[in-house]
């Protein structure tokens, strides 16, 4: 029997962009979405975002499995769209990080 090193499949959370095991993602997702709503509600109006949508990827590989790569890529893109650019330096952050960042990010030509 050939020995194959198989990495356990991981699923990217479409909300936070972190990777989870196929079992823990179903536990994590509702919690992550709840947390997302809590955080979103605390943000100033201009930083609030529309609720992230779970990407619909229906690609099935030849072996009959979901195409995890396509799914994860879509989820990652979705998580990235949650990032907000800093209006000073243009770097992107999660809104809660942006607030922290903007305390120290000052325009160069400040008064
Ligand atoms: Zn998450
Ligand atoms: Zn900045």
């Amino acid at each position: 029997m050939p020995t194959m090193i198989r990495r356990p499949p991981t699923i990217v959370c479409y909300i936070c962009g972190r990777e989870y095991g196929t079992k823990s993602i179903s536990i994590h997702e509702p919690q992550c979405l709840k947390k997302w709503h809590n955080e979103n509600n605390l943000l100033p109006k201009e930083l609030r975002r529309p609720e992230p949508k779970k990407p619909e990827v229906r690609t099935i590989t030849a072996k009959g499995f979901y195409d995890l790569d396509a799914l994860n890529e879509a989820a990652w893109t979705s998580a990235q769209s949650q990032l907000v650019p800093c209006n000073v330096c243009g770097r992107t952050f999660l809104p809660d990080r942006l607030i922290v960042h903007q305390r120290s990010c000052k325009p160069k030509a400040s008064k």
Side-chain angles (χ1 to χ4, degrees):
M1 246 174 71
T3 40
M4 267 179 67
I5 299 158
R6 271 215 259 159
R7 205 165 60 98
T10 54
I11 314 268
V12 175
C13 171
Y14 71 100
I15 306 155
C16 66
R18 286 194 284 258
E19 285 183 45
Y20 291 89
T22 45
K23 285 205 181 77
S24 43
I25 187 79
S26 56
I27 301 158
H28 167 78
E29 257 182 21
Q31 289 173 349
C32 195
L33 193 62
K34 207 169 153 192
K35 187 169 159 270
W36 182 92
H37 277 289
N38 287 342
E39 282 174 0
N40 206 45
N41 289 341
L42 292 173
L43 293 172
K45 242 188 242 153
E46 67 271 17
L47 290 183
R48 285 189 200 165
R49 303 144 296 165
E51 186 182 313
K53 289 274 167 284
K54 191 170 179 152
E56 296 275 330
V57 176
R58 304 203 176 274
T59 355
I60 308 256
T61 60
K63 282 175 186 157
F65 295 111
Y66 280 107
D67 188 340
L68 271 189
D69 286 340
L71 186 72
N72 283 342
E73 203 182 300
W76 191 82
T77 308
S78 164
Q80 290 307 298
S81 70
Q82 294 297 306
L83 301 177
V84 183
C86 168
N87 56 14
V88 179
C89 67
R91 284 162 64 197
T92 51
F93 297 89
L94 285 172
D96 59 329
R97 294 269 175 282
L98 180 66
I99 291 168
V100 176
H101 164 79
Q102 282 186 329
R103 279 183 211 140
S104 57
C105 184
K106 297 273 184 309
K108 269 182 191 150
S110 61
K111 285 157 232 162

